[in-house]
Amino acid sequence: MPYKTICTIAAPDDGDALEGAIACARAWSAHLDVVAVSAIQLEPPVMMMPDLPVAGPGLIEEAVEELSRAEARVRDRLGREDFPWSVASRAEPAADAARHVTRAARFADLVILPRRDGSDRVPFHTILETMLYNSRVPLLVVPESFAADPRRIAIAWDGSDVALAAARAALPLLAAAERVEILAVDPDRATDASARDLAVMLDRHAIAAEVTELPRRGARVTEILCTHATETGIDLMVMGAYGTRRLREILLGGVTRAMLDTAPLPLLLSR
């Protein structure tokens, strides 16, 4: 089933993935929902800043004005496209922005976010993590330029439920790809067997997938995946997000965080 509803976030300072989302909506004939967000920076407690109640209205007015400009920019840009779209906007405290956007995107088939935090006004990294932990909507994290028809796609496979969820979420893209690889880094017997089970599942969707085992040799998993992606010209990496407990991921990092920080290619994440 193709992606029929795409959602993305527009930032007042253009540090967003709007153009990537437009490219996808155009290529897939999908509806694009855009949520324009301006985060009001009201983090310090009032007790520590007695003047905050006075400054607050000024901050809110500024946020509303920049949000109005952002919405006008988005409407002007989307007015030149012929696929269906809608725009909603909201100015709110930074702490609430991620929760609001997550609620707004819960009925989308796919959310598209920028590859890095390119905005000074919208906490995209916080939005991404909030969505991953509070929504089952898959996320496509893209660089500044993104081709909506990736030809070579790799699935980072560790046998986990989140990796399987990501593979299922990517089916529309996998079906259109020229080559699909299932990458298993230094797999044990169970992971190797499940990788071949995944290949069978994909074959029943008319998707030919090759299982590739990558030796670890003391390197980090992220380095192995990125090196292989660069050497073989992979256009998109599909992977499960945050397979271990959240606290451990926050304290120790993990493959998901490392890939978001260093991977040179678009990522499709799900859990």
Side-chain angles (χ1 to χ4, degrees):
M1 180 182 297
Y3 305 118
K4 301 310 296 181
T5 303
I6 300 169
C7 181
T8 194
I9 295 101
D13 52 8
D14 297 358
D16 51 40
L18 179 63
E19 289 302 324
I22 288 172
C24 292
R26 185 191 303 129
W28 306 337
S29 300
H31 182 104
L32 176 60
D33 290 327
V34 181
V35 182
V37 175
S38 177
I40 307 167
Q41 304 300 319
L42 296 177
E43 302 296 346
V46 174
M47 291 175 59
M48 296 177 60
M49 297 184 62
D51 294 334
L52 188 58
V54 176
L59 290 173
I60 293 173
E61 182 178 350
E62 177 186 349
V64 170
E65 289 178 356
E66 68 179 14
L67 186 61
S68 177
R69 292 193 297 270
E71 184 174 348
R73 170 179 68 88
V74 173
R75 290 185 180 278
D76 178 68
R77 176 64 184 85
L78 292 177
R80 304 196 294 271
E81 301 293 337
D82 57 7
F83 55 77
W85 53 269
S86 65
V87 182
S89 61
R90 185 164 177 170
E92 57 194 333
D96 296 331
R99 290 191 292 271
H100 167 69
V101 172
T102 298
R103 290 193 300 270
R106 62 192 295 247
F107 291 106
D109 298 318
L110 185 71
V111 173
I112 300 178
L113 294 177
R115 172 67 182 78
R116 297 182 185 277
D117 260 340
S119 171
D120 294 328
R121 301 293 295 162
V122 177
F124 277 109
H125 187 75
T126 302
I127 289 172
L128 185 149
E129 292 204 340
T130 301
M131 283 190 167
L132 285 175
Y133 277 104
N134 296 281
S135 171
R136 294 296 181 180
V137 181
L139 306 184
L140 180 59
V141 186
V142 302
E144 291 184 7
S145 60
F146 173 69
D149 57 343
R151 299 289 87 194
R152 298 172 67 93
I153 301 177
I155 303 170
W157 183 253
D158 61 1
S160 66
D161 290 339
V162 293
L164 182 56
R168 286 197 174 104
L171 282 174
L173 294 172
L174 297 174
E178 294 176 355
R179 176 168 180 165
V180 176
E181 272 190 285
I182 301 170
L183 305 180
V185 178
D186 203 12
D188 57 21
R189 184 175 299 178
T191 302
D192 179 68
S194 63
R196 300 182 190 286
D197 289 340
L198 175 62
V200 172
M201 184 194 89
L202 295 177
D203 182 68
R204 290 170 181 164
H205 286 273
I207 300 168
E210 175 185 347
V211 177
T212 302
E213 296 183 4
L214 301 174
R216 189 162 187 175
R217 295 173 182 168
R220 298 174 61 189
V221 173
T222 306
E223 295 171 357
I224 296 168
L225 292 175
C226 290
T227 298
H228 182 79
T230 300
E231 292 178 348
T232 60
I234 290 172
D235 301 313
L236 173 70
M237 184 78 70
V238 176
M239 60 185 296
Y242 298 118
T244 60
R245 292 189 306 116
R246 184 175 189 179
L247 179 60
R248 184 179 177 189
E249 290 284 353
I250 292 173
L251 295 176
L252 303 179
V255 176
T256 307
R257 279 179 175 272
M259 290 294 285
L260 286 169
D261 289 340
T262 63
L265 73 168
L267 305 174
L268 190 145
L269 304 174
S270 187
R271 67 184 298 273

